[in-house]
Amino acid sequence: MRTANLRGHLRTQPLGDGASWCLALTAYALGEFDDEALGTSVRSGSRNDLRERACQGCYFTGLRQLVAGRQTEAIDSFRKAHALETRDYFEYGFAAAELKALGASP
């Protein structure tokens, strides 16, 4: 799906408190959510989901920071994602790979 199509689809979905976590991450990745809205979405899940959502949120925050040229902040976000040790989630491994590519330790 093209980015424009995905943005159009997002506009038809309930974002904010009622959004699914996947939609919230997608909106954040596309710039439709800011850091505060992502943080609210992280905390809106169940207690059991909090670490996993925090890992994913930190990873995607790091990506946005990296794209914006804020490498030091991105490294910090990737380290936070990695430190949560949610080893069953892709973002844990992706954060480690980003840190390695940036020459930073976890």
Side-chain angles (χ1 to χ4, degrees):
M1 186 177 264
R2 293 181 29 201
T3 304
N5 293 345
L6 190 52
R7 278 197 171 104
H9 177 70
L10 277 176
R11 289 188 185 102
T12 68
Q13 302 303 307
L15 295 177
D17 291 340
S20 78
W21 176 236
C22 290
L23 282 176
L25 277 179
T26 302
Y28 184 75
L30 292 173
E32 301 290 326
F33 263 16
D34 60 15
D35 291 340
E36 184 177 336
L38 181 66
T40 298
S41 292
V42 165
R43 293 183 299 278
S44 71
S46 73
R47 236 183 152 149
N48 295 335
D49 295 337
L50 185 58
R51 277 184 36 167
E52 289 82 3
R53 285 183 176 206
C55 175
Q56 291 170 322
C58 287
Y59 172 74
F60 280 97
T61 298
L63 282 182
R64 278 187 42 174
Q65 292 164 334
L66 193 58
V67 169
R70 299 182 350 238
Q71 182 172 326
T72 302
E73 292 174 56
I75 289 171
D76 186 50
S77 293
F78 294 140
R79 283 182 173 148
K80 287 177 183 175
H82 191 266
L84 288 163
E85 295 193 11
T86 54
R87 296 175 189 269
D88 292 339
Y89 281 74
F90 293 118
E91 290 82 2
Y92 171 83
F94 292 163
E98 290 292 347
L99 288 167
K100 183 176 180 180
L102 293 167
S105 63

